[in-house]
Amino acid sequence: MSLWRQLSRGLRTLTNRNAADQAIDDEIEHFLEESTAAFTAKGLPPEEARRAARLELGGSLAAREEVRAYGWENRVDNLWADLRYAGRTLTGNPGFTAVSILTLALGIGASTAIFSVVDAVLLRSLPYPEPQQIVRVWEQAPNGHRINLADGNFDDFLKQNHTFASLAAYNERPASVSGGSEPVRAKWSEVSSGFFGAFGVKPLRGRVFSPDEGRAQGTPAVIVSFHFWQRYFGGAEDLSPLHLKIEGKDYAVAGVMPEGFDYPAGNALWTPVELQSQSQSRSAHNWRGIGRIRAGVTLAQARQDLSAIAHRIRAEYGKKVDLQDAAVVPLDKALVGDVQTALLTLLGAVGLLLLVACANVAGLLVARGAARRKELALRVALGAGRGRLLQQFLVESLALSLAGGTLGVLLAAWAVRLLPAILPANLPRQQGIAMNTGVLLFALAATFAVGAVLGALAAWRAGRGNVQQALASGSRAYTGTGASQRLRGVVVTGEIAATLVILIAAGLLGRSFLRLVTTSPGFQSRNLVTMQFSVPIETQPNGALGPDAVARQARLLEGVSARLQALPGVEAVGVSGAMPVAEGDNLAEGDFLILNGRKPPADFEEFQRMGQNSGQTGHALYAVAGEEYFRTMGIPLVRGRMFAAQDQADAQHVAVISEALARQRWPGQDPLGQVLEFGNMDGNLKPLTVVGVVGDVRARGLDAPPGPVVYVNYRQRGMNLNSTPTLLLRTAAPAKEVVQQARAIVQEMAPDVPLKFSTFEEQMSGWLADRRFLLLLVGVFAAAALSLAAIGIYGVVAFSVARRTQEIGIRVAMGARRGDILRLVVGEGARFAVLGAAIGIAASLLITRLLTTLLFGISSTDPVTFAGVALLLGLVAVLASYLPARRAMRLDPNTALRYE
C-alpha cells in the first residue's frame, strides 16, 4: 500500500471510528463466508464448515484487533486511549496526583529559575561582534597572581605584539559629574585609543574620539552611555552644545554608545586616557587591559605572544618590574570570575533538589504500582505485552510531569521576577535574566526527562510481578510485596543521601557566613555614616597636585568637616580617600622606597632605578586620611602619634603605617623615623617620615587578612584620581536625621557637588550580597529537600506498617509492649537515615571540595558541620517515623489479626 493510501486510510479510521469498525466487520464476515464455502465444497456440513471457518480465523475479536494493529492509526488510537485512561486514574486519586504534581513543580520550577540565571551569566554570548575574540589582559606576578598593567609594560605589549587587532588600557572610578539635568555621581572610565575597537562597537550618536582629542593636552571630550544620555540629556539629538564637568574639568560630549554596550559594567562616561600625561612607571599598576585577537589567531597564540614580550621585559628590567608573565583570558570568563563557582554550586544544589523530588514521586509510583498489582496482572493475563504496559506507564508519568512542569514554569516565571530583589549588585550580566526560549526549552527537556525516567521505573517494577500470585493475592495487592518495599527503601535512601549533600553545603556556607560577619574589620563599625563627594582635582603633568590645588582641597574639606562636626548627634568627623572593607578595592597599592639616609629620587626614572634593590623597597596600600580619621573610625594608636594640626603642606611630610607593615618590613625594629618614598602613587616625590603605627584594618574585605597600609595626610598630599573623597561621621543620633542635615550643609557650600550617603551597615550589606544570595538559595533548597526527605521517610515507614499489620498484631498478642513496637517502626526509619547519611557523607567529602573558594574560616570538611547535619537528618527521620509508629502502637490485636 502506498504511503498516501496508508495516511488517508489512517485518517479516515481516526475521524470515523464507527465506519472503520463496520468496514472491518464486513471484511471479517466476507472472509468467513468464503472460508465456509470452501469447507462446504470439501464435503463438510454447513454448521461444521462455519465452525471450521471460525477456528481458522481465530476469533472475530482477535481478528478485529489484528486488522486494527496493521495501520499506524492504531498506535495513535492506543496513545489517545492511554491518555484518557491516565486522566481517569489520576483524577480518581486526587491526593496522589496533587502531591506528585506539586513535588515535581517545586523541583522543575527551582531548576528552571536557577538555569535562567546560569544561562544569562555563563552560557549566553556577549552582545558584541565575534565575542570569542575579546580578551582581558593582565600582568602575572612571580607568585602567579594577576595584576593590573603598568604604563611602560602596556606600551610594550601594544607596540610589540603580533596577534591583536586592538589592545587598550582603561580604568574605572566613581566621579562627580555636572552639566546634565542634575549633578550626579557616575562611573567614569579613562580609555586608550583601541578601547572601542576591541569591542567592534561604534557610537549610536556622534563619533569616537578624534586624533586631537586622543593626545596629551588635547581637547577634552567624553562619550556617554545610552542610559546617561536618556536620563540626563533627555535623549537630545544634537550633541554639539552638550558639555559635562567631570571632577571639575569641562568635556564636550562627542558621542553616545548603543543601549546594549555596558563595559565596564554600569559605566556612564568614557574619556581618552591620552589627555593626561602618562607615567612610564613599570611598578604602578593602574590600568586594566582589554583586547581583540586578530581573526585566525587562537587564544593560545595570543598568550604565547604576550608571554614572550613579558619575558623580554623581565629580562631587561629585572626586579624593577613586578611581572614575570602575561595572562590572557576570554572576556566572558573574566567577567564571571568567582561567580561561576557560586552559580554552578547553585545549579548543583537545585539539581539535587530535583533528584530528591523525583525520588519522592518515584516512591509514590512504586506504592501505587503495588496497589495496582491485581489490575496489571489481569491486563497481562488478557494479552497485554510489556511494551503496551510500558507505554501506559510512560503516558501516566508524562502526564504527571507535564502538569508539574507547567506549574513549575509558572513558579519559575514568578521567581525570575523576584530575583532582582535578592541578586547581588555585582553579579555580571544580570539584566539578561529572563524566561526566554532557551530557558523554556530547558524546562521542557527536564519535564520529559523526568516523565520518561519515572515511567520506565514504574513499568519495570510492574513487569516483574507474578501474574498468578497477583490474581490470587486478594486485597493484599493494596499493600504490595517485599520487593516493592525494598525498592522504596532504596529510593528513600538515595533521597536522604542527596538531601544530606545539600544540607552540608548549606551548613558550610552558613557557618562561613557567620564567621565572616562576626570578624572584626579592625575598627568600630556601628553608628558610622559615610558621605562620598567631589573635591577639585587639578593635577600637574606628572600627575601630582600642586600646592595651590592641595590648599583648595584642604580648605573645602576643613570647612565642610567643621560644619558637620557642629551638628547635634555628630561625635566625630574624619576625612578618608576610600572607605576600607566595602570600598577597599578603590585603594591604590604599589611599591615604595625605604630611603634610610639616601637622597630622594629626583624623578620617576631614578625612582625605578632605586627600586631595583628589593632590600630597600616595600609594598603597601596607599590611603589618604585626616587627623580625625583614626579617632572617628576607632582605629587604635599603637605607637608614636597620629596626624596633627602642625602637619601642613609646607611642613615635613609624614606617614602613619599599619601594624602589619611594621611587622612585615621592620620586624623587631622601631619603624618610627623611617623615611619612605611613595610618590609613584600620587606623583609627589617629597619623602614621608613615619611618625606613628596604628592597628590593622581589613582594608580589602573581611575575607582578606589585614594588609600593610601607608596613610598619608590629605593636607600635605591632597586627593588625586586614586582617591574617592569620603567624609566619615560617627553619630549618636539616628543616621537619617544626620544625613538630612549634612546634605543641606554641603549643598549650601557646594551646590553643584553630587553626594552619596550611606551607613557602614548598608555598605557591608552590599559587600556581603553575593554570599548572602548564595546562602539564601542553597538554604531554601536544603529546607525543601529536607521536607521532601521527611515525607519520603514517612511514606516508606507508613507503607511498611500497613504491610506488616498482621505481624505487629501477632507481636502485640504475644506480649510486645508499646515501646517495643515504637523501636521496631522507628528503627526502620532510622536504618534508612543511617545508610543514606553514610552515602551522603561520602559523597559530600568529594563534592564540598568545590566550595573551598566560597568558604571563610572553615574547611570544606568541617567536622562540626558534617556531624550537625547528620544529627539533624537523624532527628527528622525519627520524627517522620514516629507518626506511623503511633498508629502501629494503637493497633488492636484482634483487628490486626483479621487484616488482609
Side-chain angles (χ1 to χ4, degrees):
M1 186 182 294
S2 68
L3 179 62
W4 172 250
R5 290 187 64 188
Q6 291 183 35
L7 181 62
S8 60
R9 176 179 176 274
L11 290 174
R12 284 196 304 271
T13 300
L14 291 175
T15 55
N16 195 341
R17 170 59 65 185
N18 291 333
D21 287 345
Q22 185 60 49
I24 293 174
D25 290 342
D26 292 344
E27 187 175 345
I28 291 174
E29 185 61 30
H30 179 70
F31 173 83
L32 287 173
E33 290 176 357
E34 288 186 345
S35 183
T36 300
F39 282 116
T40 302
K42 292 179 180 180
L44 291 176
E47 290 184 3
E48 292 187 12
R50 184 73 174 182
R51 182 173 177 273
R54 286 177 176 173
L55 289 173
E56 182 181 27
L57 179 65
S60 60
L61 181 61
R64 179 187 294 178
E65 292 300 320
E66 185 176 353
V67 173
R68 282 183 177 177
Y70 177 74
W72 62 268
E73 66 274 10
N74 179 66
R75 296 183 181 86
V76 175
D77 194 48
N78 286 341
L79 180 61
W80 176 242
D82 287 343
L83 282 171
R84 287 179 297 172
Y85 183 75
R88 290 196 302 271
T89 56
L90 293 178
T91 55
N93 195 345
F96 161 80
T97 304
V99 170
S100 298
I101 290 175
L102 290 174
T103 301
L104 292 177
L106 174 63
I108 294 173
S111 300
T112 302
I114 296 303
F115 181 79
S116 71
V117 180
V118 173
D119 174 61
V121 179
L122 299 182
L123 303 181
R124 205 174 304 164
S125 297
L126 296 173
Y128 309 119
E130 298 178 333
Q132 71 281 1
Q133 299 296 105
I134 308 174
V135 296
R136 279 290 315 273
V137 176
W138 289 271
E139 296 180 22
Q140 189 164 301
N143 61 7
H145 291 168
R146 298 170 186 167
I147 53 179
N148 286 339
L149 305 174
D151 291 272
N153 299 336
F154 168 72
D155 286 344
D156 286 351
F157 284 165
L158 178 64
K159 295 172 183 176
Q160 299 177 26
N161 85 81
H162 304 288
T163 54
F164 282 80
S166 294
L167 187 61
Y170 69 98
N171 58 25
E172 52 181 305
R173 63 171 67 92
S176 295
V177 185
S178 59
S181 57
E182 60 181 289
V184 65
R185 294 278 294 177
K187 199 169 180 180
W188 168 37
S189 287
E190 293 177 294
V191 300
S192 65
S193 58
F195 181 80
F196 296 110
F199 293 93
V201 177
K202 296 180 180 179
L204 175 69
R205 292 280 188 277
R207 53 176 176 77
V208 296
F209 302 122
S210 68
D212 181 61
E213 294 162 346
R215 62 178 179 82
Q217 309 305 314
T219 304
V222 61
I223 294 175
V224 301
S225 70
F226 181 87
H227 296 291
F228 189 95
W229 173 60
Q230 289 284 325
R231 180 171 180 180
Y232 297 105
F233 289 131
E237 296 289 334
D238 185 8
L239 304 181
S240 58
L242 303 182
H243 286 73
L244 289 174
K245 274 196 173 182
I246 305 174
E247 296 293 349
K249 187 173 182 178
D250 189 72
Y251 292 79
V253 177
V256 178
M257 295 306 294
E259 184 174 6
F261 187 79
D262 185 36
Y263 192 87
N267 203 75
L269 310 164
W270 295 268
T271 60
V273 71
E274 291 86 359
L275 288 173
Q276 309 295 332
S277 298
Q278 300 305 305
S279 164
Q280 289 305 305
S281 168
R282 293 184 182 270
S283 61
H285 303 276
N286 300 321
W287 303 103
R288 306 180 186 192
I290 191 83
R292 174 177 286 273
I293 300 173
R294 290 179 180 175
V297 175
T298 66
L299 181 65
Q301 290 171 330
R303 284 174 176 158
Q304 188 176 11
D305 186 20
L306 292 193
S307 180
I309 298 171
H311 290 155
R312 287 199 296 269
I313 295 172
R314 182 72 176 184
E316 181 177 355
Y317 295 96
K319 295 182 179 179
K320 292 168 61 176
V321 294
D322 298 317
L323 91 166
Q324 184 163 306
D325 207 337
V328 180
V329 178
L331 179 59
D332 56 353
K333 299 293 188 295
L335 283 174
V336 297
D338 292 338
V339 171
Q340 180 171 356
T341 302
L343 289 183
L344 293 180
T345 299
L346 277 180
L347 194 61
V350 81
L352 288 174
L353 176 62
L354 179 59
L355 181 63
V356 170
C358 290
N360 235 18
V361 176
L364 293 174
L365 287 173
V366 170
R368 187 165 176 267
R372 296 172 63 188
R373 278 184 72 226
K374 191 168 184 177
E375 171 208 334
L376 297 173
L378 187 60
R379 294 183 66 182
V380 171
L382 291 174
R386 290 187 181 273
R388 192 71 181 83
L389 291 178
L390 175 61
Q391 177 176 308
Q392 176 64 55
F393 278 105
L394 284 175
V395 168
E396 290 183 13
S397 298
L398 284 173
L400 276 178
S401 63
L402 282 172
T406 301
L407 181 57
V409 167
L410 295 176
L411 290 174
W414 172 75
V416 166
R417 285 196 295 271
L418 293 182
L419 278 176
I422 61 173
L423 285 173
N426 62 348
L427 181 69
R429 306 175 66 189
Q430 59 180 277
Q431 65 276 7
I433 298 173
M435 293 293 292
N436 53 37
T437 303
V439 175
L440 292 176
L441 287 175
F442 169 84
L444 185 64
T447 298
F448 275 98
V450 167
V453 170
L454 292 178
L457 175 65
W460 170 78
R461 179 70 202 108
R464 289 173 59 86
N466 183 290
V467 175
Q468 294 181 350
Q469 180 184 359
L471 290 174
S473 62
S475 62
R476 188 171 295 181
Y478 288 93
T479 60
T481 64
S484 64
Q485 175 69 4
R486 287 192 294 274
L487 179 59
R488 292 196 73 194
V490 170
V491 170
V492 168
T493 300
E495 188 177 353
I496 292 171
T499 299
L500 187 130
V501 173
I502 307 177
L503 284 171
I504 287 178
L508 290 172
L509 292 172
R511 279 176 52 78
S512 172
F513 189 83
L514 186 62
R515 288 277 183 93
L516 194 65
V517 297
T518 55
T519 297
S520 172
F523 54 86
Q524 300 173 14
S525 59
R526 297 179 61 84
N527 302 322
L528 199 58
V529 175
T530 68
M531 182 185 79
Q532 291 183 2
F533 70 115
S534 177
V535 296
I537 299 176
E538 304 164 16
T539 59
Q540 298 173 340
N542 63 357
L545 293 169
D548 293 340
V550 172
R552 281 192 291 272
Q553 285 186 0
R555 284 194 298 271
L556 174 60
L557 291 169
E558 289 167 358
V560 173
S561 297
R563 292 283 301 274
L564 296 178
Q565 181 69 69
L567 289 175
V570 175
E571 298 176 343
V573 178
V575 176
S576 171
M579 185 67 188
V581 184
E583 300 286 341
D585 287 341
N586 293 333
L587 289 170
E589 66 175 312
D591 295 332
F592 60 84
L593 302 178
I594 303 172
L595 296 180
N596 284 341
R598 294 186 296 170
K599 181 181 177 182
D603 52 39
F604 287 105
E605 290 185 6
E606 187 175 356
F607 184 101
Q608 293 293 325
R609 289 195 298 271
M610 295 174 67
Q612 295 183 54
N613 183 354
S614 60
Q616 301 299 320
T617 62
H619 190 89
L621 297 173
Y622 172 88
V624 181
E627 60 191 73
E628 290 296 311
Y629 169 78
F630 302 101
R631 185 170 75 88
T632 303
M633 294 287 286
I635 300 175
L637 177 66
V638 177
R639 194 166 188 175
R641 68 174 178 87
M642 305 289 197
F643 297 136
Q646 70 265 24
D647 298 323
Q648 299 296 323
D650 55 355
Q652 180 188 53
H653 285 206
V654 296
V656 173
I657 65 172
S658 65
E659 276 190 289
L661 179 56
R663 287 193 303 268
Q664 181 186 103
R665 199 62 194 81
W666 297 283
Q669 302 178 44
D670 187 358
L672 300 183
Q674 294 285 343
V675 180
L676 314 179
E677 176 53 74
F678 217 171
N680 52 329
M681 289 293 99
D682 56 15
N684 191 331
L685 287 173
K686 287 188 177 180
L688 296 162
T689 300
V690 177
V691 296
V693 179
V694 295
D696 286 331
V697 171
R698 295 179 179 267
R700 290 294 199 196
L702 295 179
D703 56 350
V709 184
V710 173
Y711 298 93
V712 299
N713 195 328
Y714 78 92
R715 287 198 181 99
Q716 296 181 330
R717 315 291 284 204
M719 294 193 185
N720 63 8
L721 296 177
N722 281 336
S723 301
T724 304
T726 305
L727 288 179
L728 310 170
L729 290 75
R730 173 73 59 186
T731 68
K736 187 175 181 180
E737 296 178 10
V738 173
V739 167
Q740 290 176 343
Q741 299 176 69
R743 187 184 300 278
I745 288 174
V746 178
Q747 288 180 344
E748 174 191 338
M749 299 179 67
D752 291 335
V753 173
L755 304 173
K756 179 184 176 182
F757 286 92
S758 62
T759 64
F760 182 75
E761 285 80 5
E762 292 170 343
Q763 290 190 353
M764 284 306 301
S765 178
W767 186 81
L768 291 167
D770 52 348
R771 292 176 181 268
R772 185 169 53 246
F773 168 72
L774 179 61
L775 173 61
L776 173 64
L777 289 190
V778 174
V780 168
F781 298 154
L786 184 61
S787 301
L788 292 177
I791 294 172
I793 294 170
Y794 167 81
V796 76
V797 174
F799 189 74
S800 175
V801 168
R803 183 173 165 271
R804 300 170 66 183
T805 298
Q806 283 190 343
E807 175 195 338
I808 293 172
I810 294 172
R811 287 175 180 269
V812 173
M814 295 183 66
R817 296 188 298 271
R818 291 167 60 91
D820 298 328
I821 303 301
L822 178 66
R823 283 192 294 273
L824 174 69
V825 177
V826 172
E828 185 172 6
R831 284 193 295 273
F832 290 132
V834 169
L835 182 57
I839 297 172
I841 287 175
S844 297
L845 289 172
L846 299 175
I847 295 173
T848 54
R849 294 179 182 179
L850 303 175
L851 299 178
T852 302
T853 59
L854 303 175
L855 302 179
F856 171 79
I858 62 171
S859 73
S860 60
T861 56
D862 178 49
V864 175
T865 302
F866 276 65
V869 167
L871 179 62
L872 172 63
L873 198 57
L875 290 175
V876 169
V878 169
L879 289 175
S881 304
Y882 177 71
L883 295 177
R886 285 182 59 191
R887 175 178 173 274
M889 289 188 293
R890 294 174 179 175
L891 281 175
D892 178 59
N894 294 324
T895 303
L897 290 173
R898 290 194 298 271
Y899 180 81
E900 295 219 348

